[in-house]
Amino acid sequence: MLDPALILFRTGFIPKPFIVLSKDELAHLRALRLSKDEAVIQIRDGIGGLYNYQFSPLSKELKFLSETQISQKMERKTIAIALPKGNRFDFFLQKVTEIGLDAVVFLVFRHSIRKEFNLERAEKIVKEAAAQSRQSELLSLSIEPAKEWMESHKESLVVLHPHRSEIFTVKQLIGKIPVVGPEGGFHVDEESWMEENQIPRLTLPGGVLRTETAGIVAASFLVYGT
């Protein structure tokens, strides 16, 4: 397989004999100082399709060279987490993408400070991080009300809780979705619901972690430990 000089993600990409780079893609090419020489550029569709194209500084079009199909993962690794604040959100997206996580469900809890995000901007961050770390699949993102989503997934949940006596072990994540709450803590009604439904609540070793730190730790254990 050809080793590309640059990887670009285009969701829903359909290969053609010739394609044209967008303004943002051309700017990225120039920033990497690749625009003055011939190079192989690989377009990835985010679901396992890898398409190699020949770039030439003398042409506005890229010429198709070859394609490879990577088998998609049989088991998708997912975490559910409250939205991190400020630029921590960007950092979190970059790191869980690099780790190789498959999906993040952002949950809006009663004590959540942040309750929305710009999906288009978030997907751009994910694509850049996926290209840098040479992922073949893209991290999927969604946002849900915590109460309804947790109720519909309660058989699969493991809540990472900073104030519980039961210590976390990696094997407890097998086949599960770890849940990270907001930095303001869970509301008393959310705690009562977890108690009534016997949702496992485990404490990570070490100190009390920020939301995005706990999410990155959970993603690492989920991807590498199970």
Side-chain angles (χ1 to χ4, degrees):
M1 184 170 61
L2 295 172
D3 187 24
L6 176 65
I7 294 171
L8 299 170
F9 276 90
R10 289 187 180 184
T11 51
F13 179 73
I14 298 175
K16 298 178 182 178
F18 295 93
I19 62 171
V20 177
L21 294 178
S22 68
K23 290 183 179 179
D24 287 345
E25 291 169 340
L26 278 170
H28 189 39
L29 193 71
R30 295 190 191 103
L32 295 175
R33 299 181 181 178
L34 297 172
S35 60
K36 295 183 180 180
D37 301 299
E38 291 195 353
V40 174
I41 294 179
Q42 189 172 88
I43 308 296
R44 299 190 174 186
D45 60 12
I47 54 174
L50 284 56
Y51 306 95
N52 289 314
Y53 281 82
Q54 182 71 44
F55 169 80
S56 172
L58 302 177
S59 174
K60 294 182 179 181
E61 295 183 317
L62 275 63
K63 181 182 178 182
F64 177 78
L65 295 174
S66 63
E67 71 175 83
T68 303
Q69 292 292 328
I70 305 295
S71 298
Q72 289 186 268
K73 300 171 187 175
M74 296 297 292
E75 181 183 354
R76 294 183 62 77
K77 308 288 188 178
T78 302
I79 70 169
I81 185 172
L83 278 159
K85 297 182 290 185
N87 59 7
R88 300 183 200 171
F89 177 72
D90 297 3
F91 179 81
F92 169 77
L93 287 178
Q94 290 168 351
K95 299 312 166 190
V96 295
T97 298
E98 291 170 14
I99 287 167
L101 192 68
D102 299 305
V104 177
V105 180
F106 291 108
L107 299 180
V108 179
F109 293 92
R110 295 280 291 275
H111 286 165
S112 288
I113 296 174
R114 184 173 184 174
K115 299 185 178 182
E116 60 183 6
F117 69 99
N118 185 318
L119 179 60
E120 183 178 353
R121 180 176 177 277
E123 288 178 339
K124 183 178 179 181
I125 292 170
V126 167
K127 287 178 181 179
E128 290 173 352
Q132 186 275 331
S133 56
R134 295 181 174 255
Q135 304 288 343
S136 59
E137 297 181 41
L138 282 176
L139 176 74
S140 67
L141 307 173
S142 61
I143 185 167
E144 303 284 348
K147 181 180 179 181
E148 289 82 355
W149 187 88
M150 290 180 71
E151 177 67 40
S152 63
H153 293 81
K154 60 185 177 183
E155 302 301 326
S156 302
L157 304 182
V158 172
V159 174
L160 302 183
H161 199 295
H163 306 299
R164 301 296 293 183
S165 58
E166 187 175 355
I167 301 299
F168 163 88
T169 61
V170 174
K171 67 179 182 180
Q172 290 166 303
L173 289 185
I174 296 174
K176 299 292 185 178
I177 302 174
V179 177
V180 178
E183 289 185 18
F186 295 105
H187 187 273
V188 63
D189 291 346
E190 294 163 346
E191 294 278 15
S192 297
W193 179 86
M194 288 186 275
E195 188 71 32
E196 292 169 5
N197 288 276
Q198 299 182 331
I199 305 298
R201 286 170 285 175
L202 312 173
T203 297
L204 289 168
V208 176
L209 305 179
R210 286 178 169 174
T211 297
E212 74 280 1
T213 307
I216 292 168
V217 171
S220 299
F221 281 135
L222 194 64
V223 173
Y224 299 132
T226 61

